[in-house]
Amino acid sequence: MSSRLPIFFIVATVTIDAMGIGLIMPVMPDLLREVDGGNLSQAAIWGGILATTFAVMQFLFGPIIGSLSDQYGRKPILVISLVIMSIVYALSAIAGSIWILFVGRIIGGVSAATHATAAAYMADVSKPDEKAANFGLIGAGFGIGFVLGPVVGGLLAEFGTRAPFWAAAVLAMSNAALGWFVLHESVTDATRRAFTWKRANPFGAFKSITSFPGLGPLLLVYFFYQIGTVVYPSVWAFYGVERFEWSPSMIGVSLAVFGLCFAFVQGALVQPSIRRFGHRKTVVIGLALEATTLFIVAGITSGNILLLLIPFTALGAVGMPALQGIMSRRVSDDAQGEFQGVLTSVNSLAAIMAPLVMTRSFAYFTAPEAPVYLPGAPFIIAGTLMMIAVVIFQMRKRSSAAS
């Protein structure tokens, strides 16, 4: 039991962190219209700008935070990041203009190392054959947080658009306290590595990490996967309002259903899938399912049918922990923090590009002057990117076999 406690605590930390994110998603369309005074299409564009700003800061600072955790440990980085995030949520709660939200996204992007640092901690305490399953537990914790967060956020929206931000601030600070008191440091003198700016900047970190054999193509697959999945946080709320006239509480319910299914898949199905099909086939199955469901979602015209389809859409999540497990096993123990920082930067590159593309394509195809009314256009783009990821992964496999 004592050997499992660090894993339990890190999953609990990610769960509480995800709740803070999920709390604010149902109110974002209304909040952006409130502070900017525009319509839904304009709010979607501002949502994309804020998400991209957040992602740019994560791209620049992800490897720095990861390298700092390789030297100073995971625990202090986690706690400090959460304290800063609590302050950012409070700042957003009192925002009277779009520019205060913009500043909050800048600060939040710098400090948002929680997920990457938690993944590095998990890699530290996992045996090589346990990594994929334990990365799945992190995904499950994140999914559970999204079950609870949007539901509570939708309910709190009845008290105003600012209430969920105050709740997120309290959760982030509580999460920091939890991490301080229950997490044991996983970086030891044997695995500690000195911080250097050469590896800490994103470009130097990419060069360092891709020097590990076979990691470059896998990072490219991961990149296309992340671009594709960013469609959900980018336009789900706007898509629900436009397509099905969903209220904030209904958006919260839909996100909760997805989070519950996502948590079940990553917590219960990853390890059986890897045992049955192996890491590589599990990745292909996950990517193919993601592509299929994205194309289906794009054409749905009934909100009830979409809710019924959500369990099937979540099945694609089985592939990502398997891919992370493959990559993590190719990286040395003293570079896990740097590696997770690089994954944060890859996530950020996807989040820089995708929200602008997804929200603008949504705005273009839902505007009154649109040549074709197609609110599902972002999901078609995302499904195409998933198919590209499958092709790259399979080409890498054939290239390795030929070699």
Side-chain angles (χ1 to χ4, degrees):
M1 175 63 73
S2 60
S3 65
R4 303 294 295 179
L5 283 177
I7 294 176
F8 171 79
F9 290 140
I10 206 68
V11 171
T13 299
V14 173
T15 300
I16 297 174
D17 183 45
M19 285 186 65
I21 299 173
L23 276 169
I24 66 175
M25 291 182 69
V27 299
M28 284 304 293
D30 288 342
L31 176 65
L32 289 171
R33 284 183 287 185
E34 177 183 315
V35 299
D36 186 54
N39 57 31
L40 185 65
S41 295
Q42 292 169 329
I45 292 175
W46 267 115
I49 293 172
L50 292 176
T52 299
T53 300
F54 185 87
V56 168
M57 304 312 293
Q58 280 198 309
F59 169 74
L60 295 175
F61 286 88
I64 295 176
I65 299 300
S67 294
L68 285 172
S69 75
D70 281 336
Q71 176 172 348
Y72 298 107
R74 318 298 185 204
K75 181 176 178 177
I77 299 301
L78 272 170
V79 172
I80 292 171
S81 297
L82 288 166
V83 170
I84 296 175
M85 284 305 300
S86 178
I87 296 171
V88 169
Y89 284 132
L91 180 66
S92 300
I94 61 174
S97 72
I98 199 71
W99 299 110
I100 296 179
L101 293 176
F102 185 76
V103 171
R105 290 293 81 191
I106 292 175
I107 300 172
V110 173
S111 64
T114 308
H115 195 82
T117 309
Y121 188 100
M122 190 67 85
D124 292 340
V125 301
S126 302
K127 297 176 182 178
D129 60 345
E130 297 174 340
K131 288 187 176 182
N134 285 341
F135 286 140
L137 291 178
I138 289 181
F142 203 77
I144 292 170
F146 262 91
V147 172
L148 300 176
V151 170
V152 177
L155 294 174
L156 289 175
E158 301 299 324
F159 299 96
T161 56
R162 312 309 176 102
F165 286 91
W166 288 117
V170 172
L171 276 175
M173 191 62 73
S174 300
N175 198 12
L178 175 69
W180 181 256
F181 287 108
V182 304
L183 289 178
H184 302 287
E185 183 53 61
S186 62
V187 175
T188 65
D189 291 338
T191 60
R192 195 179 306 276
R193 186 166 65 162
F195 176 89
T196 65
W197 283 107
K198 182 179 179 180
R199 290 194 303 265
N201 75 83
F203 305 103
F206 272 107
K207 183 178 180 180
S208 173
I209 288 298
T210 53
S211 66
F212 290 97
L215 201 57
L218 293 174
L219 284 172
L220 190 59
V221 173
Y222 184 84
F223 173 62
F224 277 100
Y225 176 90
Q226 293 301 328
I227 291 181
T229 54
V230 167
V231 70
Y232 290 110
S234 296
V235 301
W236 183 267
F238 302 101
Y239 184 68
V241 172
E242 176 67 25
R243 191 74 149 178
F244 314 120
E245 297 183 350
W246 280 350
S247 65
S249 59
M250 192 61 215
I251 293 171
V253 169
S254 67
L255 290 170
V257 172
F258 186 88
L260 182 62
C261 296
F262 181 88
F264 175 77
V265 169
Q266 294 219 323
L269 300 185
V270 172
Q271 190 65 11
S273 179
I274 290 174
R275 283 199 300 264
R276 175 67 177 84
F277 302 108
H279 282 76
R280 289 181 174 84
K281 286 187 178 179
T282 298
V283 173
V284 174
I285 291 170
L287 290 171
L289 285 172
E290 290 281 8
T292 301
T293 54
L294 284 165
F295 287 128
I296 292 173
V297 168
I300 288 178
T301 57
S302 167
N304 291 332
I305 293 177
L306 180 57
L307 290 174
L308 293 174
L309 185 67
I310 285 176
F312 180 67
T313 67
L315 288 175
V318 75
M320 189 44 47
L323 179 60
Q324 288 177 284
I326 292 173
M327 292 190 292
S328 181
R329 290 191 296 179
R330 293 175 179 264
V331 178
S332 60
D333 290 340
D334 65 348
Q336 290 295 327
E338 180 186 358
F339 169 62
Q340 295 300 333
V342 167
L343 290 188
T344 297
S345 287
V346 173
N347 292 342
S348 302
L349 278 176
I352 289 168
M353 300 168 59
L356 293 178
V357 173
M358 302 303 180
T359 55
R360 287 185 180 274
S361 63
F362 174 83
Y364 178 79
F365 284 103
T366 58
E369 65 276 11
V372 178
Y373 179 73
L374 189 61
F379 295 96
I380 295 174
I381 295 171
T384 303
L385 292 173
M386 287 295 179
M387 293 304 299
I388 293 174
V390 174
V391 171
I392 294 173
F393 189 81
Q394 292 293 78
M395 287 177 63
R396 178 206 61 84
K397 180 180 177 181
R398 294 193 186 99
S399 177
S400 299
S403 299

